[in-house]
Amino acid sequence: MELSINNLSKKIGNRLILDGLSLTLNSGDILALRGGNGSGKTTLLNLIAGVDRDFSGEIKYAEKTGIGFVPQDIVLFEKLSVKDNLKIFCNSSNRTDIIDIAEKLGFCDLLKKRVFKLSGGQKRLINFAVGVINKSDILLLDEVIVGMDEELVKMIESYIREIGDKKIIIITSHQENFLQEVCNKSACLMGGKLELKDEN
């Protein structure tokens, strides 16, 4: 599997946010996407996910490639239970996927709880779960561990390591320890340009 970005540019108003980016990633690549606030990290993820289609250049991947996107903002339904949220976001008719993700991320005891009763870190964990439950080929993870305690972060790290060799994963985070723990590729967005290097 391959994700190919060629000469990608994006303007917001008169400002050029992304300027001729090119990038190729393959299965097993876990990319740490670094850059300051406003550098265009989230914009790039939105373009890859198809949330925003207003750009020039090319983003290519196989036609039936599944893309999972965990945004910075919580996308959960507050009045529904954790289990019902997972049902809504799960494409599979096989509900064992819900139990599987709950076991792997350690939140089986939260399945019957309504989202509004969860802590901020727990909400982040469930937000991550709904983004990855469909076992997509490409995962885009935007600041997914904000507000999580060390135990929850370890759960996320373990899960990413478990699935990483079969997927393309792009991660943004200001937590350097987290990026260094799970990523094997690195890129930095600065002035609309992308600089690539190996993470390790």
Side-chain angles (χ1 to χ4, degrees):
M1 179 180 51
E2 181 179 277
L3 167 64
S4 178
I5 297 172
N6 298 302
N7 199 30
L8 177 67
S9 295
K10 167 70 179 179
K11 278 187 174 182
I12 297 180
N14 293 322
R15 185 185 171 201
L16 187 61
I17 303 295
L18 305 175
D19 184 9
L21 306 190
S22 292
L23 170 68
T24 299
L25 297 173
N26 295 286
S27 297
D29 287 340
I30 305 176
L31 179 74
L33 181 60
R34 295 178 169 88
N37 292 331
S39 62
K41 301 185 302 296
T42 297
T43 298
L44 178 56
L45 296 189
N46 284 338
L47 295 177
I48 296 171
V51 175
D52 183 353
R53 298 182 183 275
D54 180 20
F55 63 91
S56 62
E58 185 177 54
I59 301 173
K60 290 176 62 178
Y61 41 78
E63 186 175 343
K64 294 186 178 180
T65 299
I67 298 182
F69 187 20
V70 183
Q72 291 185 51
D73 297 329
I74 302 293
V75 295
L76 305 173
F77 295 95
E78 291 274 335
K79 293 184 179 180
L80 298 182
S81 70
V82 168
K83 186 175 183 179
D84 284 341
N85 270 275
L86 290 166
K87 284 180 180 179
I88 289 169
F89 287 98
C90 184
N91 291 335
S92 172
S93 58
N94 183 2
R95 297 308 182 191
T96 59
D97 288 346
I98 293 174
I99 302 302
D100 181 60
I101 195 72
E103 288 177 346
K104 287 180 177 177
L105 293 176
F107 63 84
C108 290
D109 58 328
L110 300 179
L111 285 171
K112 293 182 180 179
K113 268 196 171 185
R114 294 191 181 189
V115 168
F116 74 86
K117 293 185 176 181
L118 303 181
S119 69
Q122 289 171 335
K123 288 181 182 180
R124 284 284 175 189
L125 182 65
I126 306 308
N127 199 55
F128 177 82
V130 301
V132 302
I133 192 171
N134 291 313
K135 301 175 182 177
S136 304
D137 305 297
I138 298 174
L139 284 179
L140 309 172
L141 310 179
D142 197 5
E143 298 290 349
V144 292
I145 64 166
V146 172
M148 287 187 183
D149 62 26
E150 185 176 350
E151 183 179 353
L152 293 183
V153 172
K154 294 297 181 187
M155 288 279 191
I156 299 292
E157 290 174 354
S158 177
Y159 183 78
I160 291 173
R161 282 194 294 269
E162 179 182 339
I163 65 172
D165 62 335
K166 299 177 182 177
K167 301 181 184 297
I168 294 170
I169 305 177
I170 303 176
I171 305 174
T172 75
S173 177
H174 291 293
Q175 303 298 319
E176 278 297 316
N177 289 342
F178 172 60
L179 293 176
Q180 292 170 9
E181 188 69 30
V182 298
C183 297
N184 54 30
K185 299 283 184 181
S186 178
C188 183
L189 266 172
M190 185 178 296
K193 298 291 187 180
L194 194 67
E195 179 183 347
L196 302 173
K197 64 178 181 179
D198 285 333
E199 178 66 19
N200 298 312

